Amino acid sequence: MSPLVFIFIISMFINLSQGAIQMPYMTSDPKEVSGKSFDYIVVGGGTAGCSLAATLSEKFSVLVIERGGSPFGDPLVEEKKYFGYSLLKTDEYTSVAQSFTSRDGVENYRGRVLGGSSAINGGFYSRASEEFVKKAGWDKDLVQDSYKWVESKVVFMPELTQWQSVVQFGFLEAGFYPYNGYNLEHTQGTKIGGSIYDQCGKRHTSADLLGFGRPNHITVLLNATVKSVIFDGNKTRAVGVRFMKSDGSSSKSYKVHVEKRRGEVILTAGALGSPQILLLSGIGPEDHLNDLNIPIAVNLRDVGRRMSDNPAISLLVDRFSQNRTLEPPQVAAIAEGYKYILESEVLPTNITTTRISIAAKIAFPKSRGRLKLNSTNLRENPSVKFNYLGSKEDLEACLEMVLLLQHVARSETVTFYLGLQNREKLLAGDEELKSFCKDNVRTYYHYHGGCVVGSVVDEDYRVSGVKRLRVVDGSTFEESPGTNPMATVLMLGRYQGIKMLKEREAEKEGDGSFLSPQGSPQPQP
């Protein structure tokens, strides 16, 4: 056996054995954390929250509060053969995917489980473009290091299925060049992306990353929903959070605090959850908070504004439902200028049947929307409108996108594989295409905004007007990064965690003391 083959086998063994890593203590009993103090409280154990908590735990105590349960041992989350099943049946309080319908009338989902949306999505992993990183003002080297940290633990090179191989050629026939093979970068053309499904068909969510921190420094509270942030008497500093059980019947409220000297609350609850928690805490536009009789802590106009979602069109390319093997996306087609992004999947329509979808999204929509509270009920989804195709530019882009989708669907490779005959006629003419877009616009599940950097949080993700409170998740993005945002949200948690550790190190050097993992100041040796 050659040395290279031996190294490959050993690395595979290490990756596939990650389920055996030591995970942090998890509980669903709020009494076990109520009244305690931690260096950091991370609100939301999702895509960013878990990588952030793992990083901060290297030196400090961290409490992760997750409104859902554990993904471990749940076949709907972990097993590739059940891809998409978690979206078929949702409920109000316990399902791992929670459905919501925007005011545009488009059905959407949010993760409600440790691991967040990385536990319910297609698992496609692709980095942000260099332009995105530069525009964000991030440190390029730290970004690369943070991506690599994530990739070494939960990202795998997929083995293409038969259909993914077919649609790959369909993309190329439609003109999506060059062919980039397996590539984690966001680059024009057709490529195979990374996957959080390993070679055995097991999904690795962001929850796995908790085991790569210091598990004895992390406590995970499951099935608990944060009601609001607690402030000091002057409402200038976050000192903790209030939370309740996530079930629909409990009414008892609990409190947990951060250590007094330098502790922080960090919202990582996603593009719906983080702005909702800020609003419930009295941070947001004064007129909206007054309408709901919420005491104002900070009059911050842009909370819940600049919400965006990528308008998408999906074509079902098989003629009728069948019983094909389910397939998450493995290949992406990226148009010139990153304007459109196409992927394909085999999705369940019910427990026994499937359909093949080829979908495309507008990467840079001009339309913006807004999130508001429906009520002060913390368990209720907020109201959000994305204004799909609200701008003339977006509608015109959709027309072009539909033509591209038709080109792929009519490619020789796809047609030959599916054996399609007597296909529906092609859509043509601006008016027909406009009607089709308006009637069929949907989501690509990449919604973002609501706590955008520069308007709600600063470049260090601190909330304007209040100390010791940050937001670190996709709600801070004004555009969806890369082919799919998951990779960059995972990276962001690691990236900001490293920056925060460096900040604390600088503070330690400045005042001659440091904090123990339990949060009490200790004299510097």
Side-chain angles (χ1 to χ4, degrees), residues 6 19 24 31 47 102 106 125 127 148 163 181 199 280 307 311 317 340 357 420 469 507:
F6 177 76
K31 296 178 182 178
T47 309
S102 69
V106 175
Y125 183 96
R127 296 178 177 185
K148 290 176 181 177
W163 168 248
Q199 287 79 4
L280 288 170
M307 295 292 297
V317 295
Y340 308 110
S357 164
L420 297 178
L469 178 62
E507 290 175 358

Side-chain angles (χ1 to χ4, degrees), residues 491-510:
M491 180 280 296
L492 181 65
R494 175 67 176 179
Y495 178 94
Q496 285 303 123
I498 292 293
K499 286 193 65 178
M500 292 170 71
L501 290 178
K502 290 180 178 178
E503 287 176 11
R504 295 290 286 259
E505 184 67 24
E507 290 175 358
K508 179 186 76 173
E509 294 175 355

Side-chain angles (χ1 to χ4, degrees), residues 332-520:
I334 304 168
E336 183 177 359
Y338 312 137
K339 190 174 181 181
Y340 308 110
I341 297 168
L342 285 70
E343 295 174 357
S344 180
E345 12 179 54
V346 181
L347 291 165
T349 51
N350 56 44
I351 298 299
T352 59
T353 60
T354 63
R355 294 296 302 269
I356 299 176
S357 164
I358 301 176
K361 76 170 184 178
I362 300 172
F364 308 113
K366 303 295 183 183
S367 306
R368 293 290 182 269
R370 184 177 177 185
L371 176 148
K372 293 183 177 181
L373 297 177
N374 283 311
S375 70
T376 56
N377 181 357
L378 67 159
R379 300 185 180 102
E380 183 180 357
N381 278 323
S383 167
V384 60
K385 185 173 184 178
F386 295 111
N387 289 318
Y388 296 105
L389 307 180
S391 73
K392 180 181 178 182
E393 293 92 335
D394 288 351
L395 185 55
E396 291 176 349
C398 186
L399 272 58
E400 185 177 345
M401 189 167 67
V402 173
L403 296 176
L404 287 172
L405 280 170
Q406 289 186 147
H407 197 165
V408 176
R410 293 259 175 165
S411 65
E412 291 184 11
T413 310
V414 170
T415 301
F416 178 79
Y417 178 79
L418 294 176
L420 297 178
Q421 297 182 15
N422 300 320
R423 293 173 296 187
E424 295 181 4
K425 71 179 184 70
L426 289 170
L427 296 169
D430 284 358
E431 292 307 312
E432 187 176 19
L433 288 167
K434 284 180 182 178
S435 295
F436 181 83
C437 282
K438 291 177 180 179
D439 293 341
N440 293 280
V441 66
R442 48 162 289 180
T443 179
Y444 221 67
Y445 310 107
H446 294 168
Y447 53 91
H448 49 281
C451 299
V452 174
V453 172
S455 63
V456 174
V457 298
D458 65 16
E459 61 182 10
D460 292 315
Y461 295 78
R462 295 185 176 97
V463 177
S464 299
V466 60
K467 298 177 181 178
R468 307 298 179 193
L469 178 62
R470 305 194 203 213
V471 179
V472 180
D473 57 28
S475 71
T476 64
F477 295 158
E478 192 158 21
E479 69 182 57
S480 181
T483 310
N484 295 61
M486 178 181 68
T488 303
V489 178
L490 286 166
M491 180 280 296
L492 181 65
R494 175 67 176 179
Y495 178 94
Q496 285 303 123
I498 292 293
K499 286 193 65 178
M500 292 170 71
L501 290 178
K502 290 180 178 178
E503 287 176 11
R504 295 290 286 259
E505 184 67 24
E507 290 175 358
K508 179 186 76 173
E509 294 175 355
D511 66 10
S513 67
F514 70 95
L515 292 175
S516 71
Q518 286 70 42
S520 54

Side-chain angles (χ1 to χ4, degrees), residues 130-146:
E130 291 183 3
E131 290 86 346
F132 185 94
V133 173
K134 183 177 180 180
K135 184 178 178 181
W138 293 334
D139 180 288
K140 184 177 179 180
D141 292 336
L142 182 54
V143 166
Q144 290 293 313
D145 289 345
S146 299

Side-chain angles (χ1 to χ4, degrees), residues 22 24 51 54 114 123 171 210 236 256 289 335 339 383 436 461 479:
Q22 182 185 359
S51 56
L114 190 67
F171 290 151
L210 293 173
T236 60
V256 63
L289 298 177
K339 190 174 181 181
S383 167
F436 181 83
Y461 295 78
E479 69 182 57

